[in-house]
Amino acid sequence: MSYARITGTGSYLPPTALTNDDLVARGVDTSDEWIVERTGIRSRHLADAGQMASDLALEASRKAMAAAGISAGKIDLIVLATSTPDYIFPSTACLLQSKLGVSGAAAFDVQAVCSGFAYALTVAEKFIRSGSHRCALVVGAEVFSRILDWNDRGTCVLFGDGAGAVVLEASEEPGILASALHADGAHHAILEVPGQVCGGKVVGQPFVKMDGPAVFKFAVRVLAEVAHETLDLAGLDATAIDWLIPHQANIRIIQSTARKLGLPMDKVVTTVERHGNTSAASIPLALDAAVREGRIKRGDTLMLEGVGGGFTWGAVLLKF
Ligand code: ACO
């Protein structure tokens, strides 16, 4: 049976960058010192008013396809992870497909918040391993700035906008080695946007609501557990990991996960400092940054892992 292997990566950040001091200047009751000390974040990018998740996804996808050396016509599956879709429906994956100027491929969204990319990659891998599809575009794209309450300093300083994409193709060479996905909906209330549209009005709260300390504890525990589970499935241990590419929520969560895996920080890709938390986009954004900087090379063993609202969590171990 063939493997599913990443053959190209791409990413896109909207041009407007906002530093912590810019947030203070905009009236957020915070400081650069507080944000850097608690989260490691120094700046984040924000989409322009007219930019939707599918626009960010399009730019990232074009770069991933160019890196893979394929045209959009070759893609037979689009899986797009987002919690900030363009519309209620159709899916952002279908809107991306239209912007790519192609038709016919299966296209759908995956909603697993900050674990979305780990979920989307795993789903796409299963399509490819089954033999039903051969060339997938897997995307994480978010405009989280649209669901932030700028008066809530506990959340608005944490997030940014962006998109990352990979082309995943059937291959005789490995490829994705193992993956594990989990959820526990009992913890939905520690991180949620508890709103909906009904009768033409927003009902409930259309902004991110978070119990930060509870999220922190939960994330640190499950990220270590799911990394070990995925290594076990592949019959490997943590010494096999060349690069850990965790969801970029918070540098302290990342450092704690690396410590639990016995990995030095120089084997961990971090972009949280300049991207903030871009939810489903954070892992493919970090992956693409490290690939383009020449740090990640063909043949390296990568551990990608995410955790987010739901609660959801997952990891993907792969040979790049
Ligand atoms: N600037 C200044 N002060 C702030 C800010 C801010 N931006 N935000 C909160 N504070 C204050 C609080 O009001 C509180 O003040 P008080 O003691 O006078 O009441 C104080 O700082 C401590 O608040 P806590 O929420 O207890 O702060 P904590 O040390 O837990 O840090 C943080 C908050 C950074 C959110 C932390 O809990 C955390 O990192 N949690 C993980 C959350 C996360 O990463 N979420 C991302 C989404 S989830 C995901 O992607 C997995």
Side-chain angles (χ1 to χ4, degrees):
M1 190 199 289
S2 64
Y3 289 94
R5 186 169 154 261
I6 291 175
T7 55
T9 67
S11 62
Y12 175 77
L13 289 161
T16 305
L18 218 63
T19 65
N20 295 339
D21 286 335
D22 292 334
L23 289 177
V24 174
R26 284 187 171 204
V28 180
D29 179 16
T30 189
S31 67
D32 178 59
E33 193 190 2
W34 192 96
I35 301 171
V36 172
E37 188 193 315
R38 306 283 175 120
T39 72
I41 298 167
R42 291 180 188 275
S43 70
R44 73 286 291 144
H45 290 251
L46 298 190
D48 295 337
Q51 280 184 308
M52 308 288 263
S54 65
D55 297 312
L56 276 48
L58 177 65
E59 299 299 331
S61 299
R62 282 186 175 143
K63 290 182 189 157
M65 291 186 301
I70 63 152
S71 64
K74 194 176 174 197
I75 292 161
D76 57 11
L77 173 68
I78 301 174
V79 187
L80 188 147
T82 189
S83 297
T84 47
D86 293 20
Y87 301 143
I88 292 174
F89 73 79
S91 69
T92 305
C94 284
L95 297 171
L96 170 63
Q97 183 184 43
S98 158
K99 287 177 181 177
L100 286 169
V102 289
S103 62
F108 57 91
D109 287 359
V110 164
Q111 218 298 24
V113 201
C114 304
S115 312
F117 189 75
Y119 266 68
L121 194 59
T122 301
V123 167
E125 188 227 357
K126 292 188 190 305
F127 273 68
I128 288 176
R129 294 274 288 215
S130 77
S132 66
H133 292 73
R134 293 196 59 80
C135 183
L137 181 62
V138 184
V139 189
E142 300 280 16
V143 282
F144 247 65
S145 59
R146 308 271 156 83
I147 52 168
L148 297 177
D149 175 357
W150 294 98
N151 294 312
D152 177 8
R153 65 179 183 174
T155 53
C156 73
V157 303
L158 302 176
F159 296 92
D161 301 335
V166 302
V167 174
L168 190 72
E169 295 189 70
S171 161
E172 293 312 311
E173 284 170 57
I176 292 179
L177 303 173
S179 60
L181 301 178
H182 297 284
D184 183 351
H187 299 283
H188 68 89
I190 63 174
L191 179 60
E192 60 182 356
V193 180
Q196 56 170 289
V197 173
C198 180
K201 293 198 176 101
V202 173
V203 177
Q205 195 185 323
F207 297 123
V208 173
K209 238 184 77 197
M210 181 179 75
D211 175 347
V215 168
F216 194 100
K217 268 187 235 143
F218 195 97
V220 166
R221 177 172 63 79
V222 299
L223 285 173
E225 280 174 10
V226 79
H228 283 297
E229 178 187 356
T230 310
L231 285 164
D232 287 349
L233 287 169
L236 296 171
D237 62 40
T239 59
I241 299 173
D242 294 308
W243 292 101
L244 176 68
I245 307 163
H247 168 49
Q248 307 285 317
N250 179 312
I251 195 69
R252 292 185 303 142
I253 295 177
I254 295 172
Q255 286 163 341
S256 163
T257 306
R259 232 181 352 259
K260 286 192 173 192
L261 287 171
L263 290 177
M265 282 304 285
D266 61 9
K267 286 193 164 199
V268 184
V269 177
T270 60
T271 50
V272 66
E273 183 182 10
R274 50 201 162 108
H275 298 173
N277 180 347
T278 57
S279 190
S282 91
I283 294 173
L285 263 164
L287 170 65
D288 185 53
V291 169
R292 284 174 196 268
E293 285 158 14
R295 291 192 286 154
I296 291 180
K297 304 211 164 36
R298 280 279 158 221
D300 283 353
T301 301
L302 314 184
M303 172 70 82
L304 279 47
E305 54 171 355
V307 58
F311 244 70
T312 55
W313 62 103
V316 181
L317 184 71
L318 61 92
K319 278 258 175 236
F320 187 68

